[in-house]
Every structure is written in structure tokens, then in C-alpha cells.
Amino acid sequence: LVRSVMEGVTYGMRDSLEIIKGLGLDVGQIRATGGGARSALWRQMQADIYGAEVVTINIAEGPAFGAAILAGVGAKIYNKIEEITDEIVKITSRTQPIEDNVKIYNEYYQTYRSLYPALKPEFDRVSATVAKFAG
């Protein structure tokens, strides 16, 4: 059950990745930070679902670090974002996708993508029922 939740979250993140790729941007590497990045299982799952390398970096909390970098550039402490990130951010682990898993997850992803449109009428019906009893 826990694994299916992890897969669902990762498929949701792949949806965002597909939008980025649809804009013509090449994404060859994913950087994972925070608590989930500590899980080797989840990093492998992400690499397999995204079909891309997943790396961890020496910064534990990426969003806070990113905000600090932006503040430093805004305050003219650093000239460019790349200047400080190239100096400070270092890759600490690499997880490569396993091709056999990528093939399987690609098939499951197509099923995942088809479920929301198929279930949307039922979601609406559930919402209407909840609203009726909550009101």
C-alpha cells in the first residue's frame, strides 16, 4: 500500500516533467532533496518512472537554499545564480534508471494517465454527495 502511494506521487511528478519536456526542454537529470531523497527505494523508483538519472546533492533542504541564493543575488552578494551554485552545490549520489523497470513503469504510467478522465464523473458524484450531507 505504501509503495502504491509512493508510485502515485511519483507519477504525479512525472506529469509535471512531461509538461516541461513538452515545452522543448531536455531533462536528463533530476535533483532530489529533502526527506524523500534519503530513501534509496524512492530514488530508484523516481529514476525508473522518469527514465532519467536522479541525483542527491550536499544541500538537505533545496527550497530554503534556493531562496537564500536568490536573496544573495538580489542583495548583490553574488553576481549570478550559477556562480554560487557551481561553487557550493555538489552531487553526493547518483541513481540510474533500470531499463527493464522503465519499460514496466511506462506501461503503468499510461494506465495512470487514463484513470483520471475515466473516474472524473465519479469524483463529481462523490463531491456532490459530500456537499449534500455536509451542508
Side-chain angles (χ1 to χ4, degrees):
L1 184 59
V2 172
R3 184 182 180 103
S4 68
V5 170
M6 292 168 67
E7 288 172 341
V9 168
T10 307
Y11 285 139
M13 291 188 294
R14 178 172 169 180
D15 281 342
S16 297
L17 182 61
E18 294 298 329
I19 291 168
I20 292 168
K21 288 179 179 178
L23 296 172
L25 300 172
D26 182 36
V27 179
Q29 182 186 83
I30 308 295
R31 293 193 172 193
T33 64
R38 289 187 287 245
S39 169
L41 171 65
W42 204 351
R43 288 192 315 271
Q44 186 63 62
M45 184 182 296
Q46 288 175 341
D48 296 342
I49 289 175
Y50 304 149
E53 178 183 47
V54 173
V55 301
T56 57
I57 58 174
N58 60 326
I59 308 300
E61 296 303 328
F65 180 72
I69 287 174
L70 292 175
V73 172
K76 307 278 190 232
I77 296 169
Y78 306 110
N79 295 321
K80 297 190 309 185
I81 293 170
E82 298 83 2
E83 174 188 323
I84 190 63
T85 55
D86 288 348
E87 184 179 322
I88 294 177
V89 177
K90 304 297 178 208
I91 293 173
T92 58
S93 75
R94 296 177 181 274
T95 304
Q96 299 298 326
I98 299 168
E99 285 307 313
D100 288 343
N101 294 350
V102 170
K103 290 175 189 170
I104 293 167
Y105 275 125
N106 280 338
E107 287 187 43
Y108 285 142
Y109 180 67
Q110 297 314 311
T111 301
Y112 167 86
R113 295 279 301 156
S114 70
L115 285 174
Y116 183 81
L119 294 173
K120 175 82 168 74
E122 296 305 313
F123 296 152
D124 292 340
R125 192 167 68 88
V126 168
S127 293
T129 302
V130 169
K132 193 184 322 179
F133 288 109

